[in-house]
Structures are given as structure tokens and as C-alpha cells.
């Protein structure tokens, strides 16, 4: 949900200008969405559900959340700390020159945040969808009032996404302008095809209301239900810049902001329509920039690639594994080529439909690594990442964590979602099975 610009520098799209035409919009978006060059930086945004330290099943009152967040505002952090609509906490790293720099920065900031929250009797839990509580909005701001009104038109998924979901979002440079394993076209394509493998391997949201939903990643189900206009990707059969620019133009406008009073929430108005008609007022460059932040595709180009498909992970350091695996598979040329060759056959299952509204992504969210082809692809990709991690500077502790995840989950055709399901069904025999009380 967050659009904090700190993971990578945000594009400069805030200079007011009236009466933008569709061709001007397309030119502006094409100019800011893919910044090419050697892959040099990496970033991560980690979202957490905030819960009672002793009894996570109980809802945290608004007053306690307000007090905790007031205390956190005085904590010096390198990462940007933001609060999500339902009271979830997010840390967004600054762009880091290496994987290990990113990990060290966020780990230190999380230690500081946890120390303050523990003093308030609160803790952080990494689950992609709250297994205990119904949606309850903590933030009441014009943006979220408008977003809620807009998403309510398609059903309850929008409120659940806003208030009860959490993720690990990874920021990677777009890559070289030229073709090849690290070229921006290849990385854009790979993000959408490998994305299904990441959904399956890191699925961690099988519950709602303490009951199984039938999906390993209920969080991905929410994005499916929100619909392709707000939460879908553009087609992958053309130039990425052109495809994304047209997607931005043809996506529905969430709101027309007002200086005073409630924001307008138009129905069925695309940005192209708004730019053509100039009503209810001509859109500005600031409106365009804001419109882009209201689109939630699984991969969002913001001058860099923001991968948004991974559920929040269990444990204090669980977020490190998807960050390390993803960085290795994109930024090490040998691993990137292996990942490309591995997922290329899977792409046929997408039937040419954009993610996540295609059979491949739906199967990944519903079945996780119980799907045989996704299971086989995940084993190959994790093995390639494990070999590549030392080459991109990962420490032994990080490579050991990835190896442990490969052994515990991937090879077994499981993900953290299966642990949660085992606990609900009473079939978990592992001593760590009571870490999260469901």
C-alpha cells in the first residue's frame, strides 16, 4: 500500500502544469518509469502487523497504536517509517549499494523499532494476511477515504487489502538499456514470470477469521478480486515503457483531489478520459504522479522495479530470505540467465494474460509449491540463488538462511502457509509450531 519514495529515489513528476493531453501523459510516463543503467542498488519495504505481545488474537486499541507510533517518531532511523491504513507498520530502506548494506540498515532499524514496541507491550508479526481480525481502518485521511470508497465498488477485498495485509516489497534497478540477462526488457519480463514462483515459494497467508481460505496466499487473492484496472499488470508483448504508459492512461482514476472538503471519487473515469475532457478540472503533472501511486500492479516501475508480490514472512529475520533470493536472481548474470530459462516454460501457462489475473499466478496463490511445475522451478531458482549469493557479497549467515529455507520449505514443496495450516489443523509436530498462536 505504501508509496514511500525512500526505497529508491522517486521520479520528479510534481511540477504543476495544466491541461495535459494523452500524448503528453504518455511521453512523461515513458520518461520516468524506467531509468536504465548498470544494476547498482537494492531496497526493501517490510510491512508488519502490530499485535499484542502476549495475546496476538486480541485487537490493539487505537489509543495504544497512537501512543506506540508517537514514541517511534522520536527514534532515529535510516529507513522511512510509515503507517498503513489498518495500523500496519512499514519500514522502507534507502537505496543500498549492496544486498548486505540493505540488510544491515533494515535489521538495525527493526531492532530499534521492536525495542520501543516491546516497552508498549506490542510486537510485530510477519503474515501476509491477518488471520484473526476483521478490517478496521486506523488512518482516516482523504487519500484512504477516497481509496476505500473506490475499492468498495468491487467488494470487500479492498478494505481487507488496506487494513489486514502485509508484504515484503523489493526494489531493484531496471537494468541496462541494452538486451541481455541484465537488460531492462529481460528484467521486466522476468519479474512478472518469476513473480509467480516467488508468490508460491513465500506464500504465508492461508487464513482469515482463523479459518483456511483455500488459498496459500490469501493476500494475492485480494489483489485478484480488486481487479486488473487497479491491481493488474500491463501486457508483456511489447516495449515495457510504451505498455506501462498506456496502462497508466487507461487505468481508472481513483480520485480528483480537492483543496477543501472530500475528494471526488469518479466512477469509470480513466486518466485518458480526464486528460481528453479536462473535467472536472484539467489534470496536472502532480495529478499524474499521484494517479500512478494509486495503481498496485505486482511489479510497478518507479524509475526502478518495485516487486510487490511477496507475502510478509514469519520470524524476526524472515524477510531477509526473499530479499536475498530475489536480488541474487536478478543482479547476478549467471543466476539471472538460469532463472530466465527456468521460468520461460511456465510463461505458457499465463496464456498471454497479464499478472496476477492469469492461470499461472492464480495457481501459485492457491496451491503454492504443491503445484509440481512451480515446485520444480522454485528448487532450480533457489539453488541458482544460493550459488550466486557469495558472488554478490552475501555473508555466510545469509546464505545459510537461504539454504535452510530451501531445505525446510522449497524441497518439501511447502511454504510458511503450510506451517500455519498445520497449526490450525493440529498436525504440526515441530517445536516452533507455537510461535504464532492462531
Amino acid at each position: 500500500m505504501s508509496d514511500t519514495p525512500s526505497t529508491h529515489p522517486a521520479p520528479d513528476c510534481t511540477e504543476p502544469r495544466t491541461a495535459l493531453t494523452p500524448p503528453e501523459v504518455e511521453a512523461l510516463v515513458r520518461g520516468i518509469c524506467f531509468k536504465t543503467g548498470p544494476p547498482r542498488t537494492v531496497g526493501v519495504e517490510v510491512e508488519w502487523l502490530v499485535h499484542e505481545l502476549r495475546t496476538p488474537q486480541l485487537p490493539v486499541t487505537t489509543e495504544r497504536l497512537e501512543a506506540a507510533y508517537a514514541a517511534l517518531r522520536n527514534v532515529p532511523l535510516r529507513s522511512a517509517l510509515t503507517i498503513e491504513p489498518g495500523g500496519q507498520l512499514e519500514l522502507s530502506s534507502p537505496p543500498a549499494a549492496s544486498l548486505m548494506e540493505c540488510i544491515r540498515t533494515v535489521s538495525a532499524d527493526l531492532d530499534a523499532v521492536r525495542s520501543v514496541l516491546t516497552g508498549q507491550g506490542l510486537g510485530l508479526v510477519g503474515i501476509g494476511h491477518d488471520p484473526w481480525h476483521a478490517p478496521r481502518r486506523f488512518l482516516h485521511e482523504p487519500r484512504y477515504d477516497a481509496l476505500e470508497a473506490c475499492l468498495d465498488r468491487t467488494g470487500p477485498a479492498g478494505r481487507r487489502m488496506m487494513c489486514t495485509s502485509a508484504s515484503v516489497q523489493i526494489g531493484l534497478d531496471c537494468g541496462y538499456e541494452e538486451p541481455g540477462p541484465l537488460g531492462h526488457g529481460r528484467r521486466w519480463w522476468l519479474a512478472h514470470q518469476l513473480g509467480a514462483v516467488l508468490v508460491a515459494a513465500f506464500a504465508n497467508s492461508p487464513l482469515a477469521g482463523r479459518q483456511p481460505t483455500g488459498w496459500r496466499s490469501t493476500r494475492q487473492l485480494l489483489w485478484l478480486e480488486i481487479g486488473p484496472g487497479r491491481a493488474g499488470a500491463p501486457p508483456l508483448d511489447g516495449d515495457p515503457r510504451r505498455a506501462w504508459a498506456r496502462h497508466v492512461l487507461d487505468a481508472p482514476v481513483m480520485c480528483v483531489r480537492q483543496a477543501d472538503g472530500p475528494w471526488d471519487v469518479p466512477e469509470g473515469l480513466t486518466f485518458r478520459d480526464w486528460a481528453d475532457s479536462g473535467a472536472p478540472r484539467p489534470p496536472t503533472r502532480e495529478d499524474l504522479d499521484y494517479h500512478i501511486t494509486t495503481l498496485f500492479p505486482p511489479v510497478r516501475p518507479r524509475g526502478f522495479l518495485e516487486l510487490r508480490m511477496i507475502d510478509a514472512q514469519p520470524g524476526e529475520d524472515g524477510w531477509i530470505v526473499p530479499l536475498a533470493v530475489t536480488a541474487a536472481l536478478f543482479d547476478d548474470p549467471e543466476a539471472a540467465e538460469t532463472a530466465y530459462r527456468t521460468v520461460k516454460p511456465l510463461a505458457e501457462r499465463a496464456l498471454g494474460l497479464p499478472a496476477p489475473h492469469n492461470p499461472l499466478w492464480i495457481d501459485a496463490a492457491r496451491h503454492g509449491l504443491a503445484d509440481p511445475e512451480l515446485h520444480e522451478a522454485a528448487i532450480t531458482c533457489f539453488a541458482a540463488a544460493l550459488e550466486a549469493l557469495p558472488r554478490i557479497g552475501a555473508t555466510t549467515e545469509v546464505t545459510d538462511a537461504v539454504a535452510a529455507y530451501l531445505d525446510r520449505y522449497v524441497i518439501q514443496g511447502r511454504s510458511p502457509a503450510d506451517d500455519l495450516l498445520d497449526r490450525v489443523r493440529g498436525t504440526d509436530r515441530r517445536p516452533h509450531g507455537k510461535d504464532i498462536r492462531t
Side-chain angles (χ1 to χ4, degrees):
M1 281 299 304
S2 174
D3 294 286
T4 308
S6 57
T7 303
H8 278 65
D12 181 11
C13 190
T14 57
E15 178 186 342
R17 178 181 176 188
T18 59
L20 285 176
T21 65
E24 288 176 314
V25 171
E26 184 167 346
L28 286 168
V29 174
R30 291 179 68 170
I32 63 176
C33 58
F34 290 87
K35 303 295 185 183
T36 54
R40 299 183 187 277
T41 60
V42 62
V44 68
E45 299 180 9
V46 286
E47 294 176 340
W48 305 86
L49 304 178
V50 180
H51 66 91
E52 293 281 357
L53 202 55
R54 298 184 181 276
T55 52
Q57 306 94 321
L58 298 178
V60 181
T61 66
T62 298
E63 292 74 19
R64 293 193 64 203
L65 281 177
E66 289 174 344
Y69 293 147
L72 284 172
R73 293 188 191 101
N74 298 318
V75 178
L77 302 171
R78 288 196 60 201
S79 303
L81 186 149
T82 52
I83 310 304
E84 298 298 297
Q88 309 98 307
L89 182 147
E90 179 182 271
L91 284 179
S92 303
S93 75
S98 69
L99 170 66
M100 291 313 305
E101 178 186 322
C102 182
I103 290 173
R104 292 186 184 106
T105 295
V106 177
S107 295
D109 288 342
L110 278 170
D111 287 344
V113 167
R114 286 196 177 98
S115 178
V116 171
L117 291 179
T118 299
Q120 302 278 335
L122 300 175
L124 301 176
V125 63
I127 303 180
H129 180 266
D130 192 323
W132 307 292
H133 308 124
R136 180 197 63 175
R137 193 140 64 90
F138 173 71
L139 295 181
H140 293 274
E141 301 172 358
R143 172 183 173 88
Y144 298 122
D145 292 344
L147 182 59
E148 183 176 272
C150 177
L151 295 179
D152 277 352
R153 292 171 179 156
T154 59
R159 292 194 184 205
R160 293 168 65 193
M161 177 272 292
M162 290 172 65
C163 300
T164 60
S165 71
S167 66
V168 176
Q169 299 178 19
I170 298 168
L172 300 166
D173 287 326
C174 292
Y176 291 98
E177 186 68 26
E178 299 77 18
L182 301 186
H184 78 283
R186 169 76 68 85
R187 286 162 74 89
W188 174 248
W189 184 93
L190 182 62
H192 290 86
Q193 307 302 348
L194 180 62
V197 179
L198 298 176
V199 168
F202 295 110
N204 187 35
S205 53
L207 306 174
R210 309 190 189 191
Q211 297 299 317
T213 64
W215 294 72
R216 294 302 201 280
S217 178
T218 301
R219 177 178 162 273
Q220 275 298 313
L221 172 62
L222 300 182
W223 292 116
L224 284 166
E225 292 178 339
I226 286 170
R230 184 73 51 203
L236 296 180
D237 56 356
D239 173 64
R241 290 187 177 93
R242 184 181 184 88
W244 176 247
R246 291 188 170 184
H247 183 73
V248 168
L249 271 166
D250 294 329
V253 173
M254 185 188 88
C255 61
V256 178
R257 295 174 295 167
Q258 306 294 338
D260 299 304
W263 294 357
D264 292 338
V265 185
E267 186 166 6
L269 178 72
T270 67
F271 204 91
R272 186 187 302 276
D273 296 335
W274 189 10
D276 272 332
S277 68
R281 61 168 174 77
T284 66
R285 285 193 62 175
E286 187 176 18
D287 290 319
L288 173 60
D289 186 42
Y290 194 85
H291 171 64
I292 293 173
T293 73
T294 70
L295 305 180
F296 308 112
V299 183
R300 184 164 59 179
R302 301 175 59 190
F304 60 98
L305 299 181
E306 180 184 72
L307 280 66
R308 305 170 52 86
M309 72 287 295
I310 299 171
D311 283 354
Q313 296 296 290
E316 293 189 358
D317 300 324
W319 57 275
I320 292 175
V321 173
L323 171 62
V325 169
T326 305
L329 292 176
F330 276 82
D331 288 351
D332 178 81
E334 184 177 337
E337 184 65 24
T338 298
Y340 172 73
R341 294 181 181 276
T342 300
V343 301
K344 193 172 182 180
L346 288 176
E348 296 179 4
R349 289 175 56 179
L351 303 180
L353 300 173
H357 301 85
N358 65 50
L360 175 63
W361 278 67
I362 291 170
D363 287 344
R366 186 188 294 275
H367 304 298
L369 294 185
D371 180 288
E373 290 183 317
L374 287 166
H375 181 207
E376 183 179 354
I379 291 174
T380 302
C381 288
F382 268 72
L386 198 56
E387 291 182 3
L389 281 169
R391 297 196 292 265
I392 63 171
T395 62
T396 301
E397 290 78 8
V398 171
T399 57
D400 286 349
V402 172
Y405 195 97
L406 172 62
D407 290 340
R408 176 179 170 183
Y409 290 118
V410 178
I411 290 175
Q412 304 300 323
R414 293 171 59 90
S415 74
D418 294 291
D419 288 350
L420 291 171
L421 290 171
D422 284 347
R423 293 166 202 171
V424 168
R425 296 164 178 162
T427 57
D428 189 13
R429 297 293 181 264
R430 300 183 183 186
H432 54 261
K434 296 183 180 179
D435 288 350
I436 301 299
R437 287 161 283 179
T438 56

